Structures are given as C-alpha cells and as structure tokens.
Amino acid sequence: MRFGWIIGVLLGAVPLNAQTAGTAALKPQPPLERKAAAGPMRVALVATADPLGSPLIGFAAQADGAGLYALQGFPGAAFPGPRLTLARAAGLPAISSAGSYAVARGAQPGELLVYGLRPNPGSGMLLPSAFFVNAQADRIVLSPLGGVALLYDRERREIEVVAGLPRQPHSLYTVSLAGLGGLLTALAVSDDGAVALAAFSNENGSGEIYRLQRDAASHTGTASRAAAAGRVVHMSFVPQTRDALVADYDRGQVLMLNDGGRQGTRTIAGRSDGVRAPVAVEASTNGSVFIVNEGSGTLVVAGSGTATPGLFSCGCVATGLERLKDPDSFRLTTGGGVQAVLQADQNQPGVFYVPAGEEAAQPSGAQTPSRIRK
C-alpha cells in the first residue's frame, strides 16, 4: 500500500487552493434551494438486536464496498454474519459499530442515508432513513463514538459537521476550505462536534493542520492553523475529548494536539520508538495509543502521560484501526480474508480472529501477541 494510493482513494487527491454549545439550542441550517426536501428530519431507527442471540463484536464493510456484515461471537469463537445490503446507497458507507448505524450518501443532492444495523435482518436488505444537508458528501468521517459526522464536499471545498446521529441528526456548522492551499490528506472530528481538523500537504513535503470550529455568532465555522507537519495520512480524536492524534507518514511520528492544537502540540512516539510510515492511530478509552505502521505486523503502543512506548506483534499485517462495538476493540485488517481484532481494554493487549466465511479455517483460539517490549 502506497501513500499516494491512500490519499487517492480516501479523498480523491484534489488540490485545495470554544467550549461546546448545547446542541439543543442549535438550529438546523436552512436547506438550499437545490435540496429535494425541507431540512433535516427525525430519524427513527430500530435498536441493534440479534434474533439468534449471538454477542455482537461489530460491523465490517464488504471487500467490494457494496454491503457490510456483522462480526459475531466471542474471542476465539467468532464468525462473520450474513451479507447486509444497503438499499439506495450511492457511495461507500461510513460505519459506526459503537453507534450501531451506517451512513452513506444518497442519490439526491444533499441526501444522507442512515441505516440501523442489525446482525441478522430477515431479508439481508437494510432500508434507510433519509435527511438532507448542505454538503454533497464525497467523504464521510465519523467521530470516535459515532455521534457526529464530518462531511466533505469536494466540489464546493466545504466541510459540514452534523451531530445527533443516528436518530436526531442536525447540522452544527459549515467551514469553507477554499482559502487553504495544498492537498487535503486527512480529516477528523471530536465526539462533541465542537472541533474538527483538516490536514494539508504541499509539493515540497511540508504540511499544515488546521483547527475548524463553529463561530458562536453564526452557523458557519472558522479555520485556524494548529500545527506544522509533514504528510499526514490519518488523524483521530481521543474519545470524548478535544485532544487529537496525528499520524505523520513522512516524518515517522505521532503527535498529540491538545484541544485540537489550541493548547499546544507534543510528540507521542517517533522513529526511535519504532514508528515507521504510520497510517493509522487511535486511542482507547483508558488512555493507550495504538499506532499502525504501513505493511507491518508490529504495532506501537504508547501509554498515557510519559509512559515509554512499547511494541508487540499482532500476528497479522495491520492496515488500519476501525473501532468496533466495544469502543476499546479495533479491526486491524480490511478487505476480504481473515479479520484480526485488537482488544485494547486489557493490561496486556490481545488479538483474536474472525474467519472469512463458514468454510474458512480460523486460527486456534484467542491469541495474546508477544509481550510488549519497553
């Protein structure tokens, strides 16, 4: 997997020349004339339920992007559920296993489709509820616990932040990126929606990260420079905070932006700690930080505070960190084949596997990777 490929797939490689306000007091932005329906609407979703009674691990997208499936069972006895087709979806879905829903772009201008996720619907077809926003969602990024979505409109070079997912979506604010130079490479949004980040890369290898936030006097937002960086390929917020993690691919380091950079920046881990071409970084709810290097089966783990980062082998070639139903569990591998799942809510992280299908051979039992090396 090459860096250029990551950027092209995620964002289309298009060059681009406060404290949280109570969401109950925010009014949805009036729809544009081009919208097919009047404003966001209440979304009624069915709560996650599994008629078979199997524990739910989370959800994963099909390798072809046309649907998704549930990961069910226990560590060491996990299995994939049936294929779930997303009716009417016109783009790839963003999945919130923690929130038990998926969201995708619809066919109409500004239409977003929300799907309540159940492991075993009788028909295998998930029917959406729809609401309308100002952005044409070419890219959808969810907050760590899934209550907020960031929508990127490539043509208009605009970000829209939507809160209240999945049942009561409403627009918080929009921010124009038109005045920011460079190539947009990564996006992230906090769980309260108050802060978002956009990373840009320049031809000379330098880059900048901008902090996006709502203007208290209007429905629009502002962008301010938060930090300098190289080429950033992934960013994520620590759950239920405004502190963000940044994976700097070229410089081989992971940064922490306190309050989205407003309270300073510090290095979490670098090359001396085993960070090489990082492509994903996420934090568990207990403060541990997990870093995936491109093409590597060794994860870097950084503790909270000043703890020295350590290394352990996951027994797979990790390609990402996708948060599952338990917010301290992450899917490490994407696409087809056996899926590796990281359990991060333990003193010693562990990995277990979900087979590709009923006929697939599953690695024996839950595995605890090699001990973290300090």
Side-chain angles (χ1 to χ4, degrees), residues 195-366:
V195 180
L197 294 173
F200 295 84
S201 178
N202 302 312
E203 292 182 357
N204 62 6
S206 65
E208 293 179 312
I209 302 170
Y210 286 86
R211 186 183 195 271
L212 315 177
Q213 65 181 41
R214 184 176 184 266
D215 185 343
S218 69
H219 193 86
T220 59
T222 59
S224 58
R225 186 178 180 277
R231 290 188 288 180
V232 173
V233 299
H234 187 251
M235 299 186 293
S236 63
F237 278 83
V238 178
Q240 297 182 318
T241 78
R242 297 177 188 174
D243 298 332
L245 296 162
V246 174
D248 192 326
Y249 183 92
D250 275 359
R251 297 183 181 180
Q253 63 182 3
V254 168
L255 306 176
M256 172 72 81
L257 273 59
N258 298 315
D259 193 13
R262 190 168 66 174
Q263 300 297 326
T265 301
R266 63 188 176 93
T267 301
I268 294 292
R271 288 195 172 98
S272 62
D273 304 305
V275 178
R276 301 285 189 277
V279 294
V281 57
E282 294 283 353
S284 67
T285 60
N286 64 12
S288 296
V289 176
F290 294 85
I291 303 163
V292 170
N293 290 319
E294 183 181 56
S296 174
T298 299
L299 303 184
V300 179
V301 184
S304 58
T306 59
T308 303
L311 306 173
F312 76 96
S313 172
C314 68
C316 65
V317 178
T319 55
L321 287 160
E322 296 183 5
R323 201 177 299 269
L324 298 175
K325 184 68 174 177
D326 175 353
D328 287 326
S329 293
F330 301 87
R331 189 165 71 113
L332 295 175
T333 51
T334 57
V338 176
Q339 302 293 301
V341 176
L342 169 69
Q343 292 181 294
D345 58 347
Q346 309 172 41
N347 292 331
Q348 177 69 35
V351 172
F352 66 91
Y353 302 90
V354 182
E358 294 181 358
E359 73 286 354
Q362 180 178 344
S364 58

Side-chain angles (χ1 to χ4, degrees), residues 16 26 40 50 86 88 95 112 141 146 173 184 209 218 227 234 266 301 314 319 336 357 371 373:
L16 303 177
L26 297 177
D50 179 6
L86 303 182
R88 295 171 47 200
I95 302 171
L112 285 184
V141 176
Y173 57 92
L184 179 62
I209 302 170
S218 69
H234 187 251
R266 63 188 176 93
V301 184
C314 68
T319 55
R371 186 175 301 277
R373 302 191 300 274

Side-chain angles (χ1 to χ4, degrees), residues 159-174:
I159 295 295
E160 183 167 9
V161 176
V162 175
L165 289 164
R167 290 173 175 80
Q168 295 181 319
H170 55 277
S171 178
L172 286 182
Y173 57 92
T174 60

Side-chain angles (χ1 to χ4, degrees), residues 3 15 28 64-65 85 131 136 139 181 197 234 308 355:
F3 171 82
D64 60 8
T85 302
F131 66 99
Q136 185 70 9
R139 168 84 169 131
L197 294 173
H234 187 251
T308 303

Side-chain angles (χ1 to χ4, degrees), residues 50 52 54-62 68-74 77-84 118-120 331 335-339 341 352-362:
D50 179 6
L52 300 182
S54 298
L56 176 63
I57 298 169
F59 294 89
Q62 293 279 351
L68 50 86
Y69 61 96
L71 306 175
Q72 297 174 259
F74 302 92
F79 59 94
R83 180 188 179 102
L84 309 177
R118 293 178 294 160
N120 292 291
R331 189 165 71 113
V338 176
Q339 302 293 301
V341 176
F352 66 91
Y353 302 90
V354 182
E358 294 181 358
E359 73 286 354
Q362 180 178 344

